[in-house]
Amino acid sequence: MIFPKRVFTWGGIFGLVMLTPMFFLESQMAAMGGPITRPENYYGFIGVAWAWQWVYLLIGRDPVRYRPIMPIGAMGKLIFVVITFGLAAAGRTPWNVALITASDLVIAILFLIAWRMTPILPQGASATAADGPA
């Protein structure tokens, strides 16, 4: 279970490192991309994405137990990648923004690999028993 634990733990840490500064960079983001006319959308996106990083850290602590939500975590990463590439293709966001999401694509793929590697917890079994010795 080392690979799934590391992938989700490092994925969560990476996300927290990337997202946390954005709570304090609204004016700089506006200077780069134009005025932020809906700050609730700006902070709402960051807040939801930030909260998901804690879910990834939780999964990393007990992958067998949280295996069912691993694909949902990958989906969250993939949605952002697809949307930013679609917006870039439509000329609605710069390509450098879309290319930055390539790290999320890599993390999503690693999340799916970790999901496939994680054993399914038999119904009624405890996660610690399925995880084996520490």
Side-chain angles (χ1 to χ4, degrees), residues 50-107:
W50 194 80
W52 263 100
Q53 306 317 302
W54 292 99
V55 174
Y56 300 147
L57 291 172
L58 179 67
I59 294 168
R61 297 209 27 113
D62 195 348
V64 175
R65 181 180 202 180
Y66 297 111
R67 184 182 189 276
I69 61 174
M70 288 180 177
I72 298 168
M75 181 175 55
K77 297 285 186 185
L78 290 173
I79 287 170
F80 186 52
V81 172
V82 169
I83 287 172
T84 55
F85 270 82
L87 289 170
R92 296 183 61 198
T93 197
W95 274 104
N96 64 333
V97 172
L99 293 175
I100 289 170
T101 67
S103 60
D104 278 338
L105 177 60
V106 171
I107 293 169

Side-chain angles (χ1 to χ4, degrees), residues 41-53:
N41 290 343
Y42 174 80
Y43 289 106
F45 164 77
I46 296 166
V48 170
W50 194 80
W52 263 100
Q53 306 317 302

